[in-house]
Amino acid sequence: MFLISVLFGAFGCGSEPPSVGSPAPASSAPALEGGAGFRHGESGGIIGSVTWTGAIPVVEPVADVRPRPDGTGYTRRVLSHPYAPRIDRASYALLGAVVYLRNVDPARAKPWAAAPVRVEFRDAQIVVTPEGGEPGRVGFVRRGAAVSFRSADPVFNTLRGRGAAFFAIPFPDPDQALERTFDAPGRIELTSASGYHWQAADLFVCEHSYFTLSGPDGRFELSHVPEGTYELVAWHPNWNTVAHERNPESGLVQRVRYAPPLETVRTVTVTRGQSAFAPVNLSPPK
């Protein structure tokens, strides 16, 4: 594991961090309104960057191994690990770190600004895409909003959800969209229940909109945070495995379990009319 050292201040998402979102029918989502107690003039902001310190970890790629339809053996290709940290080797900026606030009163929060979310199996991976945005491995969803699920791959697969929600969605045919809403805030770990053990992504169901991902240069920004004191959380999934299951017939790995996510919590005070500079350092396992 590695420790995350955080010095910044303001995000919000239930009990765990949030992330990138994607398209789901806007008609089925709750109205994008802020809390009745939100006051623009009584808020502040946070800007900062997430930087990796220490040696850049070497994360082994994963193997997509599948039996050929004609029974003559297996096809194999190498894919990048979905949970590998993306670190710029020149600046050590970390892309895709999740940052959010705990203990935010939803009644005082700013209007929800995240785009609807679409999750799909695509090219042997689980992809989360915000409407009008770039695809990624993490999405954030407003509590009670609809999420769209589909498969673009021409093979049978089942999406497994664990954590804040417990479900399995089968996709016997490609390009058939399904919808689901989530009422419990927190992280939902998405994996394949059909033996494609390398497929992984995350959804975060949130009660307010103070959450973000660090960009290619490691930077992040949170705006219009009500003044007050909060717990600021930095989060990244762990790529180290602690257990795996094998298919008893083929001997191939069909499911893996990861070590606990990397998380650091810090108390942060937000002052109206001010933007706090909050740099963050993430470190490799010791």
Side-chain angles (χ1 to χ4, degrees), residues 10-97:
F11 301 55
C13 167
S15 58
E16 282 208 62
S19 235
V20 185
S22 141
S27 59
S28 58
L32 302 185
E33 300 175 353
F38 175 70
R39 300 291 183 270
H40 185 281
E42 299 177 2
S43 64
I46 306 259
I47 57 174
S49 59
V50 183
T51 305
W52 188 263
T53 60
I56 296 177
V58 176
V59 182
E60 295 297 327
V62 293
D64 174 2
V65 182
R66 307 188 188 198
R68 297 191 182 99
D70 59 7
T72 59
Y74 296 89
T75 58
R76 176 188 177 93
R77 64 173 176 163
V78 176
L79 303 171
S80 61
H81 197 295
Y83 283 166
R86 291 171 287 178
I87 304 166
D88 183 88
R89 292 188 173 275
S91 66
Y92 277 54
L94 178 61
L95 167 65

Side-chain angles (χ1 to χ4, degrees), residues 179-198:
E179 284 190 358
R180 187 184 180 96
T181 60
F182 301 101
D183 296 322
R187 176 198 179 196
I188 302 175
E189 182 182 22
L190 303 175
T191 58
S192 167
S194 299
Y196 307 128
H197 66 87
W198 63 89

Side-chain angles (χ1 to χ4, degrees), residues 98-151:
V98 178
V99 187
Y100 70 102
L101 276 184
R102 287 178 180 158
N103 303 329
V104 174
D105 181 359
R108 299 180 61 219
K110 69 177 181 179
W112 182 265
V117 175
R118 181 181 66 233
V119 178
E120 63 183 342
F121 289 111
R122 185 200 307 169
D123 193 26
Q125 300 283 12
I126 299 174
V127 180
V128 184
T129 309
E131 186 175 278
E134 294 297 321
R137 61 154 186 79
V138 181
F140 39 69
V141 181
R142 186 180 184 182
R143 181 180 180 183
V147 178
S148 176
F149 298 93
R150 66 186 288 272
S151 175

Side-chain angles (χ1 to χ4, degrees), residues 143-215:
R143 181 180 180 183
V147 178
S148 176
F149 298 93
R150 66 186 288 272
S151 175
D153 288 344
V155 296
F156 175 82
N157 208 341
T158 299
L159 183 70
R160 176 197 292 119
R162 296 293 184 268
F166 190 95
F167 62 89
I169 304 176
F171 295 94
D173 300 305
D175 299 321
Q176 293 187 349
L178 302 171
E179 284 190 358
R180 187 184 180 96
T181 60
F182 301 101
D183 296 322
R187 176 198 179 196
I188 302 175
E189 182 182 22
L190 303 175
T191 58
S192 167
S194 299
Y196 307 128
H197 66 87
W198 63 89
Q199 297 180 346
D202 293 294
L203 287 179
F204 292 91
V205 181
C206 308
E207 295 184 294
H208 53 75
S209 58
Y210 301 110
F211 53 85
T212 192
L213 291 173
S214 57

